[in-house]
Amino acid sequence: MLMYAALGILAVIFGLLASSVHQIDQGHIGVYFRGGALLDAVAEPGFHLMVPVIDRYRSIQITMQKDEVLNVPCGTSGGVMIYFERIEVVNILAKSSVHDVVNAYTADYDKPLIFDKVHHELNQFCSSHTLQEVYVDHFDQIDENLKTALQQDLDKLAPGLTVMNVRVTKPKIPESIRRNYEAMEAEKTRWLIAVQTQKVREKEAETERKQAVIEAEKKAQVAKIATDAQLAEKQTLKEMSAIEDATHLARQKARVDAEHYAHLKLAEVNRLKLTPEYLELQKIQALSKNNFVYFGPSIPSYLGSLGFVNSSHPEPTGATESTTTTTTESSIPPAEDSATEETTQ
């Protein structure tokens, strides 16, 4: 019997010792309660001991955590009741503020500071807005407005507790109203599609217009290049023609100048040739080419009168002489005396 009693006492002692040993996980801070009163001591992560039965501990998370508030009812200014299925509040509690927050709001501080405040702020928002504003117009502002309102209250009530982000899901509305909104959304979608289609067509038309302008400018530039090339070719031909004309004019002028110079030289030569001796030689040569022979006593005097024979010579007297003279047919006319014309063979 005594042995069983001893074993029972040992088991109780072992159980008490086991219950006094506890573990605080990383990212948490341990707070202790004795008889329901919060103790000043806090525990870092690791193994710790506490008084069995009398003391108890709570592990408080000091890293970022997410609180989910579910099925929040909300009445609009028009009297329509809607429900927010889930609202997520991401928050973090500073390590230095753990004891003060737990002391003021217990270890379950997130219920009065987060959950209850979300209900209150959402109802405040819904009661001052219509269903259209809550469900459509201002729905994208609910997250930011709720975060701002929560943080303003936490700065006063629980310094050290910070709201990082708030996400609000689309609220549930009555089925008949939801169908109307879906129809409105479908019409809006069709309208947006029509607007976008019109914009696309306008963009395509604008693109085609720009392409046409680019094509026209390209053709104009090509035509201008071709025209410039033709003008350049014409200008080149004009310059070549001018050069050819100038060359031809220079050649003609040189030829005319040469002919004029030749004529001048010929005239000068002829002028130099017209000496008495040269003229006498020409007369003699002309007479030597005559094919007619004239006979008679008066021939010398006749020729003297023409300047071919010196008239100072006296004619022989008392005798009839036969004088033979050769001259040109055109320069000596027939003598008045009777003469016998022979043809020199």
Side-chain angles (χ1 to χ4, degrees), residues 81-149:
M81 184 63 69
I82 60 177
Y83 294 87
F84 290 91
E85 285 188 323
R86 185 173 68 255
I87 301 171
E88 298 177 354
V89 180
V90 181
N91 60 90
I92 186 171
L93 178 61
K95 179 179 178 181
S96 59
S97 302
V98 170
H99 189 274
D100 294 337
V101 170
V102 172
N103 185 39
Y105 303 101
T106 73
D108 299 319
Y109 62 89
D110 51 356
K111 185 179 184 308
L113 295 177
I114 302 295
F115 289 84
D116 293 346
K117 288 296 294 182
V118 167
H119 280 264
H120 174 74
E121 293 297 335
L122 274 180
N123 278 275
Q124 287 286 99
F125 179 81
C126 292
S127 63
S128 61
H129 293 83
T130 64
L131 178 61
Q132 173 69 21
E133 293 173 340
V134 174
Y135 193 71
V136 178
D137 297 341
H138 300 325
F139 177 75
D140 58 339
Q141 303 175 12
I142 294 178
D143 296 348
E144 193 63 31
N145 291 339
L146 184 57
K147 174 186 174 183
T148 302

Side-chain angles (χ1 to χ4, degrees), residues 28-266:
H28 292 72
I29 290 292
V31 294
Y32 297 91
F33 297 90
R34 180 170 294 170
L38 179 65
L39 300 179
D40 293 334
V42 293
E44 297 287 341
F47 289 103
H48 300 275
L49 295 174
M50 64 179 180
V51 179
V53 181
I54 300 175
D55 294 343
R56 64 183 180 87
Y57 80 99
R58 290 289 301 271
S59 181
I60 307 299
Q61 185 175 351
I62 57 173
T63 58
M64 192 178 297
Q65 60 179 332
K66 180 177 67 176
D67 292 328
E68 292 185 353
V69 186
L70 305 177
N71 295 324
V72 179
C74 186
T76 64
S77 61
V80 180
M81 184 63 69
I82 60 177
Y83 294 87
F84 290 91
E85 285 188 323
R86 185 173 68 255
I87 301 171
E88 298 177 354
V89 180
V90 181
N91 60 90
I92 186 171
L93 178 61
K95 179 179 178 181
S96 59
S97 302
V98 170
H99 189 274
D100 294 337
V101 170
V102 172
N103 185 39
Y105 303 101
T106 73
D108 299 319
Y109 62 89
D110 51 356
K111 185 179 184 308
L113 295 177
I114 302 295
F115 289 84
D116 293 346
K117 288 296 294 182
V118 167
H119 280 264
H120 174 74
E121 293 297 335
L122 274 180
N123 278 275
Q124 287 286 99
F125 179 81
C126 292
S127 63
S128 61
H129 293 83
T130 64
L131 178 61
Q132 173 69 21
E133 293 173 340
V134 174
Y135 193 71
V136 178
D137 297 341
H138 300 325
F139 177 75
D140 58 339
Q141 303 175 12
I142 294 178
D143 296 348
E144 193 63 31
N145 291 339
L146 184 57
K147 174 186 174 183
T148 302
L150 287 174
Q151 191 60 57
Q152 288 177 352
D153 289 341
L154 291 176
D155 290 341
K156 299 176 182 178
L157 301 175
L161 181 58
T162 304
V163 177
M164 307 297 295
N165 197 7
V166 175
R167 291 187 293 269
V168 179
T169 60
K170 200 76 171 177
K172 282 186 177 181
I173 61 177
E175 187 64 23
S176 58
I177 299 176
R178 186 185 63 81
R179 285 196 296 267
N180 292 336
Y181 273 106
E182 288 178 353
M184 289 173 57
E185 198 66 27
E187 290 294 331
K188 182 178 179 181
T189 302
R190 283 194 291 269
W191 177 78
L192 290 175
I193 291 173
V195 171
Q196 291 299 323
T197 302
Q198 183 179 359
K199 289 182 179 180
V200 169
R201 290 177 180 174
E202 291 176 355
K203 203 68 177 178
E204 291 176 351
E206 181 70 15
T207 301
E208 291 177 359
R209 186 186 68 82
K210 289 182 179 180
Q211 289 178 349
V213 171
I214 293 173
E215 189 68 24
E217 290 178 351
K218 184 177 72 174
K219 290 182 179 179
Q221 291 177 357
V222 172
K224 185 178 183 301
I225 293 173
T227 303
D228 292 343
Q230 292 178 358
L231 291 176
E233 182 180 1
K234 294 294 184 182
Q235 184 67 24
T236 303
L237 293 176
K238 179 181 177 181
E239 293 175 357
M240 293 174 62
S241 178
I243 294 173
E244 291 177 356
D245 293 342
T247 304
H248 179 70
L249 179 61
R251 289 175 180 173
Q252 292 296 324
K253 185 177 180 181
R255 185 178 64 81
V256 170
D257 290 344
E259 291 179 355
H260 177 68
Y261 180 76
H263 288 138
L264 290 177
K265 288 298 181 181
L266 181 60

Side-chain angles (χ1 to χ4, degrees), residues 293-307:
V293 177
Y294 297 93
F295 297 95
S298 302
I299 291 174
S301 62
Y302 175 73
L303 292 176
S305 65
L306 294 177

